[in-house]
Amino acid sequence: MLLISRICFALACLVLATSSEAWAQTVTPDDTARVLAGLAPAPASPLAPLVQEPAWRRHAAFFDNAFNQLEQRQLSRIRVWGDANLAAPRTTMFYFFSGPDFLYADAFYPKATTYVLAALEPTGPIPDLTRLPRGGVGPALSDVERSLQSILSFSFFITKDMKSDLREGEFEGTLPVLYVFLARTGKTIRSAGLIWLDESGGVHGANEAPTRNATKGAKIIFAGTDGVEKTLYYFSTDLSDSGVRASGFLKFCEPLAPGNSLLKSASYLLHQGGFGQVRSWLLKNSATIIQDDSGIPLASYEAKAWRFFPFGRYLGPIDKFPDMYQRSYARLFERAQPLDFGIGYRWRTRESNVLLSVRSPSADATVSAEASAPAETDYQPPRVKRTPRPPEPVYSYPPPPRRDDFIFWPRW
């Protein structure tokens, strides 16, 4: 009798181990991304039962509404703008100071096949829904919603909120947000893994012990509806001069250049002396740069090397950055073309500015892409204060950010 009991116990353990192994093997990154994004996973996925839970259904309805409104209000218009104004997009796009914002990287440059995003925010572990405690799906999904509120409402992440959102709750780091954006933009994730860069820019897998100055990140292989395989890199790295000198990040980027670059809600860091290396690198290695006024100062562009195409209105910086007014930028935008979407810190449509800078094909052989003159320090003239209006209540927007909310990274 004792022998039979032992045999039954051993068989039960074997079945349990086999079931657990099968569970782990069949939960794909794409299934995880779809569940986090409020989209149903594959019918045979072990995560499929989650879609029957009321918490997931509420989450799916919230994201359906939010992303549908965002598509109509901004993303579809950005794609139309890009089709009309980007004649020959490169295969690589660089988005520094991005946070996990694949959403706008894809909207501006949908034809890129390699995306390189970089910011201070940590990558975090690979999201694993199978590790959630019983009853933990609802709170975990609420954490995901909260981390996306500002970018869905205002087109950028509020860094003070993101610092806490990406370190608290069941899911940590930028990967859950990247998963959501990939799924909601119609992408299928084929593989996802953690990587790190050595000082020479060489790529290593997570199974290799990182060196002292390793730049940690993630690599995601995905495809759109056309089936074309693409690669998304996200690196958690210090982009200041001291940071890039100690890392291999720019060395990793060099073989991928020239590319198209995006700078949005970049805290005017590239106006500062402590970010000169990244500014010079972007001006040297970008075929086009799309930015708002918080990106590279206009005085840093060598006029003979670039053609400028302004869109929208330049009203100057928000009150948090009173010393960043650019008189030359204002003059340039006196002849700007209309813009029918909002972007950046001045996220309302009629207050936004977008500058498309196109590198001259002959610039490499004739002049430097970066001007030697220092950035402007003109004082901003007084502006008439207007009462801000909240966006239309298409879904549960958070209140407009207060001045104290704009605590942007990094604070060197």
Side-chain angles (χ1 to χ4, degrees):
M1 188 69 180
L2 180 60
L3 178 62
I4 294 175
S5 297
R6 288 178 176 177
I7 292 173
C8 291
F9 178 76
L11 288 174
C13 291
L14 179 62
V15 170
L16 181 61
T18 303
S19 300
S20 299
E21 183 178 357
W23 175 282
Q25 290 176 346
T26 55
V27 175
T28 67
D30 192 64
D31 287 338
T32 301
R34 292 185 64 84
V35 170
L36 290 175
L39 300 169
S45 170
L47 300 181
L50 292 177
V51 306
Q52 303 302 322
E53 296 195 16
W56 185 88
R57 292 184 177 182
R58 183 206 59 78
H59 172 73
F62 175 82
F63 268 0
D64 283 346
N65 192 32
F67 279 95
N68 287 341
Q69 294 293 336
L70 185 64
E71 172 68 19
Q72 296 174 22
R73 189 177 68 250
Q74 281 182 297
L75 300 182
S76 62
R77 299 182 182 188
I78 290 174
R79 286 192 292 270
V80 171
W81 180 90
D83 287 341
N85 295 286
L86 300 176
R90 301 290 179 128
T91 58
T92 302
M93 77 86 59
F94 300 108
Y95 187 4
F96 297 174
F97 311 100
S98 61
D101 182 18
F102 175 76
L103 194 65
Y104 286 89
D106 177 67
F108 278 105
Y109 293 112
K111 296 178 183 179
T113 55
T114 301
Y115 297 83
V116 181
L117 276 59
L120 275 182
E121 287 74 30
T123 306
I126 299 294
D128 185 359
L129 290 170
T130 67
R131 295 182 179 275
L132 288 176
R134 187 177 183 87
V137 173
L141 296 178
S142 294
D143 291 340
V144 173
E145 293 172 13
R146 184 173 62 253
S147 68
L148 296 181
Q149 279 187 328
S150 66
I151 195 167
L152 292 176
S153 299
F154 311 119
S155 87
F156 58 89
F157 289 102
I158 297 175
T159 306
K160 186 182 77 171
D161 294 343
M162 188 163 53
K163 283 182 178 179
S164 60
D165 291 340
L166 298 183
R167 287 177 171 85
E168 299 175 357
E170 295 294 339
F171 300 120
E172 299 178 13
T174 58
L175 277 174
V177 178
L178 291 170
Y179 272 26
V180 169
F181 288 161
L182 284 161
R184 279 288 173 174
T185 53
K187 310 300 188 290
T188 299
I189 299 177
R190 294 182 175 175
S191 66
L194 300 179
I195 59 174
W196 59 273
L197 304 177
D198 59 33
E199 293 182 10
S200 63
V203 181
H204 301 265
N207 59 326
E208 301 179 61
T211 56
R212 179 182 177 184
N213 292 322
T215 300
K216 296 182 179 180
K219 177 181 179 181
I220 301 175
I221 305 297
F222 66 93
T225 54
D226 57 4
V228 175
E229 189 169 277
K230 302 185 178 187
T231 304
L232 166 62
Y233 292 100
Y234 174 85
F235 292 104
S236 174
T237 187
D238 178 354
L239 293 171
S240 70
D241 289 346
S242 59
V244 295
R245 278 196 297 266
S247 77
F249 173 67
L250 292 183
K251 295 183 180 69
F252 165 82
C253 293
E254 284 172 2
L256 300 173
N260 299 121
S261 296
L262 174 64
L263 294 164
K264 177 176 66 65
S265 307
S267 300
Y268 298 89
L269 295 174
L270 293 171
H271 291 232
Q272 303 176 21
F275 292 84
Q277 288 196 36
V278 165
R279 182 178 62 242
S280 296
W281 193 94
L282 287 170
L283 289 168
K284 179 182 177 181
N285 293 282
S286 300
T288 65
I289 300 176
I290 295 174
Q291 65 168 64
D292 59 19
D293 63 293
S294 72
I296 297 174
L298 190 61
S300 292
Y301 287 88
E302 172 54 62
K304 295 180 181 179
W306 296 91
R307 290 179 295 161
F308 301 113
F309 302 90
F311 297 84
R313 300 178 64 192
Y314 176 59
L315 300 180
I318 59 175
D319 291 343
K320 179 64 179 178
F321 306 101
D323 299 327
M324 296 303 171
Y325 183 83
Q326 301 177 71
R327 190 162 292 151
S328 60
Y329 212 86
R331 289 194 297 268
L332 178 64
F333 273 79
E334 289 175 356
R335 55 180 178 84
Q337 300 179 54
L339 188 69
D340 67 349
F341 58 86
I343 205 77
Y345 297 140
R346 292 193 175 277
W347 43 269
R348 294 180 176 87
T349 300
R350 297 182 180 180
E351 299 181 7
S352 293
N353 68 83
V354 169
L355 177 62
L356 169 61
S357 303
V358 180
R359 181 82 177 271
S360 172
S362 60
D364 291 331
T366 57
V367 294
S368 170
E370 182 173 18
S372 57
E376 294 182 63
T377 57
D378 290 341
Y379 175 73
Q380 180 180 0
R383 302 192 308 276
V384 177
K385 290 188 176 182
R386 294 175 296 171
T387 303
R389 294 174 298 170
E392 297 179 6
V394 293
Y395 64 97
S396 299
Y397 282 101
R402 304 181 305 274
R403 172 183 291 191
D404 293 342
D405 287 333
F406 287 96
I407 302 176
F408 300 99
W409 70 268
R411 306 189 88 189
W412 285 287

